[in-house]
Amino acid sequence: MTAQQETLFERFLAPVFRTFLIDEAAIGRYAASIDWETACDRLQNPAVVYPDYYCNHNFHGIRGGYLTAGAAVTYDPITQYVLPPQETWVREGLVQAIEARPRRILDLGCGTGSTTLLLKQRFPAAEVIGLDLSPHMLVVATDKAHKAGLDIAFRHGDAAATGLLAQSVDVVTASLLFHETPPSVTQAILREAYRLLVPGGEIVILDGNQATLRQTEWLTQIFEEPFIQDYAEGNLDAWLGAAGFGAVRTQVHWWLNQVSRGVKPKDRPDWEAAETSRYDSDFENGSLPAFGTLA
C-alpha cells in the first residue's frame, strides 16, 4: 500500500494551530469530562451498519475517522479557523437559502450540530432533527444544544438509508457532507432526501465550491480528505437533477464554498402519494413517527 503523503495541514499548519490557536489542555479537559461509552450507548442505534467508506478511511488525519472521541472534540476548535471569513457567516448561507416556513427540518450528516443549532434558532417553531453516522459527534452536538437551551432531536443513522417515512420532512439540509462521501454515496443520499421530502419541499446544501477546488488544487490537499478530488470533479447541480430535484441552482458563497438548492416537484409520481396524509395527521398530533425507528 502506498504511504499517505503528508497533508499541507500536517506539514505547515498543525504547529501553528497547536502553538497559537488551539487550547489542547481545554480540549483534553472537555474530553475527560464525558463518559463516552455511556453517552454513545445512549445515542447509538444498534441497527446502523457503517458503510465501508466511512469506517475504513481516515478523515482529517484522524485514525478511525469520525468514530472516535478525538475527532468529536477537535472538530469545532479547528473548523472555526478553516471556514473563512467566519464559520457562522458561512453556515448562515445555508440557513438563509431556505425559502419555506418548515414544520420539520432534517439535517443530514449534522456532525457536532453547528448548522443544526442555527436552523433551530432561525426556525424555533419547527421540529429540527440532526442525523449523523458518528455517535461521538452526536454526543458533542447534544451537549451543545443542551447548553444553548435548544430542543433538537439528534439521531444516529445513515443519510443514504435513513429508514424514515417518505414525505415526512419539509426541508433537508447538509453542511460540508458531500466532499467527504464517494459520488455514488452522494447520489444515494440525494435520492434518499428526495424520498423523505414532501412535494414542494426543499433541499439546501453547503459545501466546498467545486469550481474553486478544480481550479485551485492545493485546496484539496490541506486535510486528509479521501473523496474530495472526486467531489471537486463532480457537479452537484447535475447530481441533484439526476435525483429528481427541480429549480436547481448553486451560488458561490465566500469564494471557497457554494450553497445549492433544489425543490421536489409537486407533481410527484403516484406511488409516493400514499403516505402524504399520514405525514399531515401525525404532525398535527405532535408525534414524530418518521423517526421512531431511531428512538
Side-chain angles (χ1 to χ4, degrees):
M1 179 180 293
T2 304
Q4 176 68 41
Q5 184 177 359
E6 277 194 331
T7 64
L8 294 178
F9 182 84
E10 292 167 326
R11 292 168 61 191
F12 303 114
L13 298 178
V16 176
F17 272 68
R18 292 195 176 101
T19 304
F20 301 108
L21 302 178
I22 300 299
D23 187 342
E24 290 188 287
I27 294 173
R29 288 192 297 272
Y30 178 61
S33 72
I34 298 171
D35 181 343
W36 290 97
E37 183 176 359
T38 299
C40 287
D41 285 347
R42 188 179 300 119
L43 289 162
Q44 194 161 11
N45 175 10
V48 169
V49 177
Y50 293 108
D52 287 343
Y53 84 88
Y54 192 78
C55 55
N56 291 331
H57 288 88
N58 298 334
F59 292 89
H60 302 170
I62 298 176
R63 188 174 299 277
Y66 290 121
L67 295 173
T68 63
V73 298
T74 57
Y75 184 86
D76 286 352
I78 292 176
T79 301
Q80 65 179 318
Y81 294 111
V82 296
L83 285 179
Q86 203 264 3
E87 181 184 0
T88 299
W89 296 354
V90 173
R91 293 185 183 275
E92 281 283 1
L94 177 149
V95 178
Q96 293 169 4
I98 297 173
E99 297 182 6
R101 293 184 178 179
R103 297 182 297 174
R104 187 178 293 164
I105 303 170
L106 175 62
D107 190 26
L108 296 175
C110 68
T112 62
S114 296
T115 299
T116 326
L117 269 66
L118 294 176
L119 288 165
K120 184 62 178 178
Q121 290 167 343
R122 177 67 177 269
F123 302 103
E127 289 185 88
V128 177
I129 303 97
L131 184 110
D132 201 88
L133 265 171
S134 169
H136 298 82
M137 302 291 274
L138 291 173
V139 168
V140 175
T142 301
D143 184 50
K144 288 164 63 174
H146 175 74
K147 289 176 178 175
L150 296 174
D151 183 14
I152 299 173
F154 288 103
R155 299 288 183 263
H156 182 217
D158 184 351
T162 64
L164 309 179
L165 288 180
Q167 300 186 24
S168 59
V169 294
D170 303 293
V171 172
V172 171
T173 60
S175 297
L176 308 177
L177 171 62
F178 292 130
H179 73 275
E180 297 191 337
T181 57
S184 60
V185 174
T186 296
Q187 294 170 53
I189 293 172
L190 294 176
R191 290 192 297 270
E192 177 72 343
Y194 184 93
R195 185 186 71 84
L196 293 172
L197 282 167
V198 300
E202 301 174 53
I203 183 169
V204 184
I205 299 163
L206 166 69
D207 218 311
N209 184 332
Q210 289 172 302
T212 299
L213 291 172
R214 283 192 295 270
Q215 298 163 8
T216 318
E217 186 177 358
W218 62 267
L219 287 172
T220 68
Q221 300 170 3
I222 295 177
F223 295 105
E224 186 175 355
E225 299 279 14
F227 308 109
I228 196 168
Q229 291 284 1
D230 292 332
Y231 170 78
E233 294 168 6
N235 186 314
L236 191 52
D237 283 2
W239 294 338
L240 283 164
F245 290 98
V248 173
R249 69 170 186 264
T250 291
Q251 296 181 318
V252 176
H253 186 51
W254 296 111
W255 183 66
L256 289 177
N257 296 284
Q258 65 184 38
V259 175
S260 304
R261 180 182 179 273
V263 178
K264 180 174 180 175
K266 291 185 177 181
D267 56 342
R268 76 281 189 192
D270 291 340
W271 61 266
E272 291 185 353
E275 296 186 68
T276 303
S277 61
R278 182 173 183 180
Y279 165 78
D280 291 335
S281 60
D282 284 334
F283 196 97
E284 294 301 327
N285 291 334
S287 62
L288 196 59
F291 300 91
T293 59
L294 298 182

